[in-house]
Amino acid sequence: VISRFVQTCIRAGMTDFEKEMAIVQYLVANVEYPYERYAAGLDTREDHSAYGALVKGEAVCEGYAEAFCWLADSLGLETKFIYGNYGGQLHDWNLVKLEGNWYHVDVTSDDPIVKGGNGYGWGNLCNQYLNLTDAQMGEDHWWEPVEGAACNAKDLGPEAVEQYIKLYGRG
């Protein structure tokens, strides 16, 4: 799966930011959150893994975040896995290092769940939780700060993501 992702989604000369956007686009296009199964307490071990996300196409936040790490690692991007809290529940997301600066990336929260249809995908991306600073993420997420990985840069934040989406479309 990872080699297919690299072959089909990555091209020579891409910046780290473009690689990150390819990962986000791939995950939101190919992974669904098994909301009903999770809400019923029937989520599986695979739902919490990169395997669930990348092979089965279903994952909860832990699987999205682990898959993000695996794909980023395959491209040489430095990441961190964050265990925290969002909406009063345990939640996982990532930090990614781009151009020497760390950013928060919560792909799960950016991939909307729409009742009556899966609602997932690049075309429905929220662009609310991609490349945020600690202050921005701290508005509704809580985590233990990671030493040496403070997120303070805004250069590749939501505005840059929105520009990327405008340039390369939503699907």
Side-chain angles (χ1 to χ4, degrees), residues 92-153:
D92 304 312
W93 66 93
N94 305 95
L95 300 184
V96 63
K97 194 172 194 178
L98 304 170
E99 296 182 12
N101 297 305
W102 288 100
Y103 295 89
H104 287 270
V105 179
D106 184 351
V107 179
T108 311
S109 296
D110 229 77
D111 194 3
I113 297 170
V114 177
K115 294 192 186 276
N118 87 11
Y120 294 86
W122 192 244
N124 295 309
L125 196 69
C126 297
N127 190 22
Q128 293 177 336
Y129 296 103
L130 301 177
N131 296 359
L132 299 184
T133 65
D134 286 337
Q136 291 167 321
M137 196 66 151
E139 290 179 16
D140 58 9
H141 286 62
W142 178 90
W143 68 99
E144 288 289 330
V146 178
E147 189 173 334
C151 301
N152 299 313

Side-chain angles (χ1 to χ4, degrees), residues 1-165:
V1 174
I2 292 174
S3 61
R4 188 171 15 134
F5 161 75
V6 173
Q7 290 172 357
T8 60
C9 300
I10 304 301
R11 63 187 186 288
M14 289 178 88
T15 66
D16 287 349
F17 173 72
E18 290 170 325
K19 291 174 185 176
E20 176 207 20
M21 290 295 99
I23 294 168
V24 171
Q25 186 171 359
Y26 183 83
L27 290 175
V28 299
N30 293 289
V31 182
E32 292 187 27
Y33 193 102
Y35 182 75
E36 290 181 14
R37 190 166 60 236
Y38 179 76
L42 301 173
D43 47 309
T44 67
R45 197 168 179 198
E46 289 175 347
D47 292 335
H48 292 265
S49 71
Y51 177 84
L54 298 173
V55 176
K56 294 186 74 184
E58 293 184 321
V60 297
C61 60
E62 188 174 12
Y64 271 85
E66 189 175 280
F68 184 92
C69 285
W70 284 22
L71 294 173
D73 186 56
S74 75
L75 303 175
L77 298 178
E78 191 174 349
T79 62
K80 303 222 181 264
F81 190 98
I82 302 296
Y83 300 94
N85 190 292
Y86 171 58
Q89 296 188 6
L90 295 176
H91 187 62
D92 304 312
W93 66 93
N94 305 95
L95 300 184
V96 63
K97 194 172 194 178
L98 304 170
E99 296 182 12
N101 297 305
W102 288 100
Y103 295 89
H104 287 270
V105 179
D106 184 351
V107 179
T108 311
S109 296
D110 229 77
D111 194 3
I113 297 170
V114 177
K115 294 192 186 276
N118 87 11
Y120 294 86
W122 192 244
N124 295 309
L125 196 69
C126 297
N127 190 22
Q128 293 177 336
Y129 296 103
L130 301 177
N131 296 359
L132 299 184
T133 65
D134 286 337
Q136 291 167 321
M137 196 66 151
E139 290 179 16
D140 58 9
H141 286 62
W142 178 90
W143 68 99
E144 288 289 330
V146 178
E147 189 173 334
C151 301
N152 299 313
K154 294 184 178 183
D155 298 348
L156 298 175
E159 297 80 15
V161 173
E162 189 59 35
Q163 286 301 110
Y164 182 88
I165 292 169

